[in-house]
Amino acid sequence: MMFLVYAYEPEVAAVREGLGRLPKMNNQVHWIQAAGNQAGTVLLRAIDRSEGAASLVLNAGFAGTLDPDLTPGTVVQAASFTTTAAGPEIVPHCVALQTSLPQAKILTVSTPLTEADQRDRLRLETGASLVDMEGLHLAGAAASRQLDFISLKVVSDHADAVSRQWAVGRASKWSKILAEAVGDLLR
């Protein structure tokens, strides 16, 4: 069984539809909605309820870019997660699935970034290329149960207030791009 963890339904609407067309995925995916700093706790409860049936955690969703060279619509695999320059860094472990997607360090924050100067400062301080709100918590939860973990993020915005509003209107487009990457990964 695979746990597919996401924060918001619009992120995975097309992923859900696409996996429904893959016969081998029927009854193999357990969908978990978990956002923010409680995401790890929600995932741990689901893992524990599965009584060892889970073998993989796949996190799929949107992320803001801190790197001006990463453009919206780009799908990236998380190479590592951090919270601050001095905070812990978690490197996901996944032997079950490999991708040829670009890899990036992801900064997990507790509130959305809305200011360009804050975004740029965090990029310089942490070396992260993307920002999300749950990845570190999910990676830590999967690691604590010794489960493979992979995170695919589609760049949805430039991690500021203006582009976040712009991205909301493109959620369907980003979800379709993410669905293609997830489908390629699981085929």
Side-chain angles (χ1 to χ4, degrees):
M1 176 192 308
M2 172 181 68
F3 288 111
L4 198 151
V5 188
Y6 63 96
Y8 305 103
E9 186 61 35
E11 294 177 315
V12 296
V15 176
R16 197 181 288 274
E17 181 182 320
L19 290 183
R21 291 191 297 260
L22 294 176
K24 74 175 189 171
M25 296 311 296
N26 290 341
N27 302 318
Q28 296 298 311
V29 179
H30 182 76
W31 297 84
I32 300 173
Q33 184 172 14
N37 61 4
Q38 292 301 308
T41 303
V42 172
L43 176 60
L44 286 173
R45 284 190 205 123
I47 292 168
D48 293 345
R49 280 192 309 267
S50 77
E51 299 178 348
S55 59
L56 171 69
V57 177
L58 169 61
N59 170 227
F62 297 171
T65 184
L66 302 175
D67 181 344
D69 293 332
L70 281 175
T71 59
T74 303
V75 179
V76 176
Q77 178 181 341
S80 65
F81 293 94
T82 190
T83 56
T84 64
E89 187 166 335
I90 296 177
V91 176
H93 172 74
C94 186
V95 295
L97 300 171
Q98 301 297 321
T99 75
S100 60
L101 294 169
Q103 296 201 358
K105 181 177 184 179
I106 298 179
L107 172 67
T108 297
V109 297
S110 58
T111 59
L113 298 183
T114 58
E115 302 298 326
D117 60 338
Q118 178 188 29
R119 172 200 63 210
D120 297 341
R121 180 181 51 78
L122 288 169
R123 177 177 44 84
L124 293 172
E125 287 177 5
T126 65
S129 297
L130 296 175
V131 61
D132 78 357
M133 294 180 65
E134 63 280 326
L136 179 96
H137 308 295
L138 296 171
S144 76
R145 296 301 193 268
Q146 300 171 343
L147 293 175
D148 277 356
F149 178 84
I150 191 166
S151 180
L152 302 184
K153 300 288 186 171
V154 63
V155 176
S156 60
D157 59 80
H158 291 284
D160 61 35
V162 173
S163 65
R164 284 188 74 237
Q165 289 303 318
W166 173 83
V168 168
R170 289 162 179 78
S172 176
K173 178 179 180 176
W174 304 147
S175 182
K176 289 174 185 172
I177 291 169
L178 187 60
E180 186 175 317
V182 170
D184 289 348
L185 178 70
L186 298 176
R187 283 194 224 314

